[in-house]
Amino acid sequence: MEDVVGIIVAPIVVFLVIVAPIWLILHYRSKKQLSQGLSEAEIRTLNDLARQAEGMADRIKTLESILDEEAPDWRNKV
């Protein structure tokens, strides 16, 4: 009977001493990073990407207007 208890208790002790503290530290560290939001570098990158997307949208509108003038039925071919 004592052997069975020893077999059950050993993994529980290892879990509580090693795995659980590491798990808790990593969990709360990730929660802290999520609550901080974006860093300055990420905000700059996001703004650059938004600016590039606006420029691409303008280019697409220009290309579509050129195609509308030169080949009015180009939209039906797709």
Side-chain angles (χ1 to χ4, degrees):
M1 183 69 177
E2 290 181 21
D3 291 337
V4 174
V5 173
I7 292 173
I8 294 173
V9 171
I12 293 173
V13 170
V14 169
F15 177 81
L16 291 175
V17 171
I18 297 172
V19 176
I22 294 172
W23 186 2
L24 288 173
I25 290 168
L26 293 175
H27 171 73
Y28 284 109
R29 184 180 296 168
S30 69
K31 288 286 189 183
K32 180 182 174 187
Q33 289 175 349
L34 287 176
S35 68
Q36 289 177 349
L38 298 176
S39 68
E40 290 182 31
E42 291 170 329
I43 291 172
R44 276 194 304 271
T45 302
L46 187 60
N47 288 333
D48 289 342
L49 290 172
R51 202 173 314 112
Q52 289 176 2
E54 289 172 2
M56 290 175 70
D58 292 340
R59 289 183 186 126
I60 290 170
K61 287 179 187 176
T62 303
L63 288 171
E64 286 179 344
S65 66
I66 292 170
L67 282 171
D68 286 338
E69 289 178 17
E70 293 186 5
D73 59 340
W74 70 271
R75 293 179 194 261
N76 296 332
K77 293 180 181 180
V78 175

